[in-house]
Amino acid sequence: MYCMNKIKSIIFILKYYLKATPAYLFIYYVQVILNALIFVVNSIYKLRIVFNAFESRIELYFILTQLLLIIATNILLMLFNTWFKRKYSPKCELTVQEKIQKDLFSKATEINLRYYDDNNFYDNYILALRESESIGKSILTNTGNILFNIVSISTITAILFTIDLKIVGLILFSVFLGFIVDIKIAKKQANKDFETIKYNRKLDYYKRVFYLYDHIEEMKSIRSIDFLFNDYAETYSTLRDINKQCCKPLVKLNALKGIMESILTSFSVYFLLIYKLVITKTISIGDFSASLSSIWRLSDQMTQLVGNVSGLYKGSIYCSKIIEFLNIDTLRLKSDNEKRLLPTPKEAKEIKIQNLYFSYDGKKNVLEDINLTIEPRQKIAIVGRNGSGKTTLIKIILGLYNNYQGNILLDNERIDSYNPLQLRDYFSCLFQDFQIYATTLEKNIYMDNVTNEDTSRILNVIKQVGFEDKFKTLPNGLQTIVLQEYDENAIRLSGGENQKVALARILLSKSCIVILDEPSSALDPLAERDFNNLLLSAFDDRTVILISHRLFTTQNADKIFLLSNGKLEEQGTHDFLMNLNGEYAYMYKIQKEKFLL
């Protein structure tokens, strides 16, 4: 069963070749077989031709004809191998690598957010991403090498069987023991990789810290960053300890393998051949020479076979990590249950949250007994102090977490009964820590393929969010690259400008429910006032859920919900809550005094 799982893992990766470049897979294995056959011809068959010709006095013309045919075949195969390796193979390998990584990236966007709170998940994800760059080529190369070894060994063994069975038996026994040792080495090497992945991930983090502009900018204003260097050095120290601990058994196993090969293969086989030639005289000089060459090649091919099987076994371990990641339960739909899911409504509908409880770690509740109703096209605000659970509540409504207790109803139907991929279009959200991507301004706003008709809409929302003046200064208009991540001609926008670009995304979307998490946090007071006016006019036909710390931005909301320590403590209009004279009124009065100052 264990071996079958490994074989399935290997087949899983090879299927990417069948889907992406089926001709490449066929040509590759044909090339391997031809190379294996010509290898035997060059190393053994030519030798036998010469000795047979010498002993039987075959005509020189016949010998030269055979040798010239072998030379011509070698030249043609060499040209074919060069074309395949230099031109055809790189293109196909990149295609397969792209498809594997695209599946991983796509899967990452579908996985429930709760997995990202687990460090073990991150370790497996990093491992899967790392191996995705080379796993396809590694599996293909190992299977090809194994096929090469099998064809070579079969041909050489057929020759040796006509000479002496004992020689074949000794070599097979040596290789079998080496195979067992190599499997143990592969397991220990894989365990070492699994143990070090989290520390390598930490080192990758430090590489980003000393690379990204925002981190470098802050570090230049800090008196000392020795705490970073100390932690960096400690991580390397831990890695050295792990390597030291893991290397001891690896060194012993490799030494054992070398001793076995020396005694069983080199000494025993050569002693047997010399004994037959000198003492018993049961083998001719021609057979001795051919046997010696065959044994050396056979031993080498069997040793390589063991190494390639071991490498394939190791590769299958990493394949299983990729498969494990791709098999995580996600929002991806299957055809058999897609029909049972409800299509999302075409307009804003009532959202009702009933007895909602949620915990990140399964121990302490972040949200407790939340009950609230959001009417269609209402403009509601969720407020509260830091850590009160505002953003967590929004993420649950969006379906980013599904491990909650209670009910979330959309149009009186459980939200998980709707098509989850359609829900992504039904909601649009601007988080406080929104992202700007290293691509064109046009794609940053539209987030999709753009048509001529879309361009006019993009220009319109640019004007709506107050980005028009900055836009007129951009060197390439909508095609200007944002973020200097890989393009030296790209531009760097300010925090407020980035937020306007992100706001333009939301305005351009056709979602029925708009969620804004601190949408005006990077705006100055005047820009914030203009944005609030825009908020009320642009989203008139949509439901708007606004999270804000600045309570003067929520005064015109149809309803305000105040969270405190994960509980819904107050709800109502601004005037109602001010008259209630509770937590909301207290927070508002303090902010108003500070604002006036």
Side-chain angles (χ1 to χ4, degrees), residues 91-365:
K91 176 182 68 175
C92 297
E93 291 293 347
L94 282 174
T95 301
V96 172
Q97 179 181 325
E98 176 195 4
K99 289 189 176 297
I100 294 175
Q101 291 190 334
K102 186 177 179 181
D103 281 354
L104 289 172
F105 295 150
S106 177
K107 188 71 176 184
T109 65
E110 298 168 351
I111 292 174
N112 196 272
L113 203 60
R114 63 188 173 89
Y115 287 98
Y116 288 86
D117 297 323
D118 183 357
N119 284 332
N120 290 329
F121 164 81
Y122 265 111
D123 291 341
N124 288 333
Y125 184 24
I126 294 297
L127 184 65
L129 279 178
R130 187 194 74 185
E131 293 303 318
S132 67
E133 296 180 1
S134 59
I135 192 65
K137 188 172 183 179
S138 174
I139 293 297
L140 187 65
T141 300
N142 276 308
T143 54
N145 288 342
I146 289 171
L147 179 61
F148 181 97
N149 299 144
I150 290 173
V151 173
S152 301
I153 289 169
S154 300
T155 309
I156 296 171
T157 302
I159 296 172
L160 279 176
F161 265 118
T162 64
I163 300 173
D164 199 303
L165 292 176
K166 293 179 182 178
I167 295 172
V168 179
L170 275 173
I171 295 174
L172 289 175
F173 180 66
S174 171
V175 170
F176 174 73
L177 292 179
F179 174 75
I180 294 174
V181 174
D182 271 339
I183 291 297
K184 290 183 177 296
I185 291 174
K187 283 184 178 180
K188 290 188 177 296
Q189 185 63 51
N191 289 335
K192 174 190 169 186
D193 288 346
F194 296 152
E195 191 172 349
T196 58
I197 185 66
K198 61 182 178 181
Y199 298 103
N200 287 325
R201 180 159 62 88
K202 194 172 183 180
L203 292 177
D204 288 338
Y205 164 75
Y206 283 114
K207 290 176 185 176
R208 293 196 303 275
V209 165
F210 287 96
Y211 167 77
L212 294 176
Y213 178 87
D214 293 339
H215 287 81
I216 291 294
E217 182 182 41
E218 182 174 89
M219 281 190 283
K220 286 182 178 294
S221 65
I222 300 174
R223 184 175 61 84
S224 173
I225 55 171
D226 286 345
F227 69 97
L228 289 176
F229 288 121
N230 291 338
D231 199 16
Y232 182 73
E234 185 180 339
T235 303
Y236 262 114
S237 177
T238 303
L239 278 173
R240 283 193 291 269
D241 290 340
I242 293 174
N243 282 321
K244 183 179 179 180
Q245 184 179 1
C246 293
C247 282
K248 289 181 179 179
L250 288 173
V251 169
K252 291 179 181 178
L253 288 170
N254 278 295
L256 177 62
K257 179 185 174 185
I259 292 171
M260 288 191 305
E261 288 177 351
S262 298
I263 294 176
L264 293 175
T265 304
S266 300
F267 178 78
S268 300
V269 172
Y270 289 134
F271 176 81
L272 181 61
L273 276 176
I274 294 172
Y275 177 79
K276 284 179 172 289
L277 177 66
V278 178
I279 306 300
T280 64
K281 301 184 185 303
T282 55
I283 189 173
S284 67
I285 294 177
D287 285 342
F288 176 83
S289 300
S291 298
L292 203 60
S293 178
S294 297
I295 290 166
W296 186 80
R297 299 295 181 184
L298 180 63
S299 176
D300 180 59
Q301 286 300 303
M302 285 189 168
T303 301
Q304 288 185 30
L305 176 62
V306 171
N308 289 323
V309 170
S310 174
L312 188 62
Y313 173 84
K314 181 180 177 181
S316 71
I317 296 175
Y318 295 118
C319 288
S320 63
K321 290 293 181 182
I322 294 176
I323 294 171
E324 181 182 334
F325 179 81
L326 291 175
N327 284 338
I328 294 175
D329 292 335
T330 65
L331 301 178
R332 185 172 301 198
L333 300 176
K334 297 180 180 178
S335 57
D336 57 345
N337 68 2
E338 186 173 2
K339 297 177 182 178
R340 297 196 294 268
L341 294 170
L342 297 174
T344 54
K346 300 299 182 182
E347 58 184 16
K349 295 292 184 179
E350 179 188 73
I351 297 177
K352 188 175 292 185
I353 299 176
Q354 299 174 329
N355 309 116
L356 180 69
Y357 290 80
F358 176 76
S359 170
Y360 284 106
D361 56 10
K363 298 176 183 178
K364 182 180 179 181
N365 284 329

Side-chain angles (χ1 to χ4, degrees), residues 31-50:
Q31 179 213 26
V32 167
I33 294 172
L34 291 176
N35 281 317
L37 292 174
I38 202 69
F39 166 76
V40 176
V41 169
N42 289 334
S43 59
I44 297 173
Y45 185 68
K46 283 194 298 185
L47 186 65
R48 289 179 65 84
I49 289 175
V50 173

Side-chain angles (χ1 to χ4, degrees), residues 425-465:
D425 295 327
Y426 189 76
F427 291 96
S428 59
C429 182
L430 175 60
F431 287 109
Q432 185 177 3
D433 52 351
F434 63 88
Q435 299 299 316
I436 297 296
Y437 299 92
T439 183
T440 64
L441 176 66
E442 182 179 63
K443 292 179 181 177
N444 262 292
I445 294 175
Y446 196 70
M447 306 291 284
D448 206 343
N449 296 321
V450 183
T451 64
N452 291 332
E453 181 182 346
D454 298 322
T455 300
S456 62
R457 294 180 60 218
I458 294 173
L459 294 174
N460 185 48
V461 297
I462 283 176
K463 184 176 182 180
Q464 279 185 283
V465 298

